[in-house]
Amino acid sequence: MGDRYCRRRNRELSPNENCEFYDTGLELQQFKQREKWSNSLIAAASVGTTPLSLIAERFGQCTHFLLWNPESDNFNLLENHHEDEGPGMGTVSAQDLIKAGVRILIVNHIGPKAFMLLQRANIAVYTGANGKTVAEAIEMLGAQQLTKLEVANN
C-alpha cells in the first residue's frame, strides 16, 4: 500500500478504509437491522446483566452488552458468547453489535480490528467510564462527560 492505494483491493482507499486487514475476513458486510431495536440504540460493554453492572475493562472480554433504547427507556441484554475464545473475538462481538443496530458503544478499552469494524458501520465509540456502572455511564454520555474515540485504545 502506498499513497492511499491498496493493491489487494486494486483501488484507491477512502479515509476510513485500511488495507491491512483486508485478507483476514474483516471486510464489513451488509447487515439487516433487527426491527425490535431502534436506530439510536446505545450499547454498554458490561460485566453483568443489569444497569447496575460495571462497564467492562476490555471490549472483547466483556460478558454482556446492555442495549439501551432511549426512545422506550428499555434495556435489552445481548450475551457475548465470544469472551473466552481468545484473541480476535472482539471482531465477532463487533459484528454482533452491528447486527443488533447499535449506533453508540460505551467501553473502556477496544482493539484496532473491532474499532475499525465499528467505525466503518458508523458506530461511535465512547470511553471514560472506568469504575462506573452501565446506568452511570449512560448518564455521563448524556452529560457529554465521556470521550469519543478516534482511534483504538487497546
Side-chain angles (χ1 to χ4, degrees):
M1 183 175 123
D3 213 18
R4 300 291 313 150
Y5 184 83
C6 179
R7 289 177 286 157
R8 294 180 198 157
R9 296 180 191 195
N10 198 27
R11 65 177 171 83
E12 189 83 19
L13 297 177
S14 69
N16 289 340
E17 285 186 299
N18 186 341
C19 197
E20 179 180 0
F21 303 116
Y22 182 70
D23 291 334
T24 60
L26 297 179
E27 190 65 20
L28 184 64
Q29 302 170 7
Q30 294 293 335
F31 294 106
K32 292 183 178 178
Q33 292 182 355
R34 293 184 181 179
E35 292 180 344
K36 69 178 185 176
W37 288 314
S38 165
N39 285 339
S40 60
L41 201 61
I42 298 171
S46 173
V47 296
T49 60
T50 71
L52 299 178
S53 303
L54 292 176
I55 296 291
E57 187 60 31
R58 303 200 57 77
F59 175 73
Q61 297 172 349
C62 72
T63 58
H64 297 86
F65 294 102
L66 281 164
L67 309 177
W68 181 61
N69 184 333
E71 294 171 8
S72 65
D73 197 26
N74 289 329
F75 283 93
N76 289 304
L77 186 65
L78 178 65
E79 285 191 54
N80 184 11
H81 300 286
H82 317 290
E83 79 272 11
D84 293 327
E85 296 180 19
M89 286 300 103
T91 57
V92 178
S93 299
Q95 291 173 348
D96 290 345
L97 292 178
I98 294 166
K99 289 176 188 176
V102 168
R103 303 301 333 115
I104 295 172
L105 169 67
I106 301 170
V107 66
N108 286 322
H109 296 281
I110 188 167
K113 294 176 187 176
F115 182 79
M116 180 184 68
L117 283 176
L118 295 172
Q119 190 177 41
R120 284 184 175 178
N122 294 319
I123 296 174
V125 180
Y126 288 85
T127 189
N130 295 345
K132 303 293 184 186
T133 66
V134 170
E136 290 171 328
I138 290 173
E139 286 179 20
M140 292 174 70
L141 178 69
Q144 298 180 346
Q145 295 173 334
L146 297 179
T147 303
K148 184 176 180 183
L149 291 177
E150 300 299 328
V151 296
N153 68 345
N154 58 333

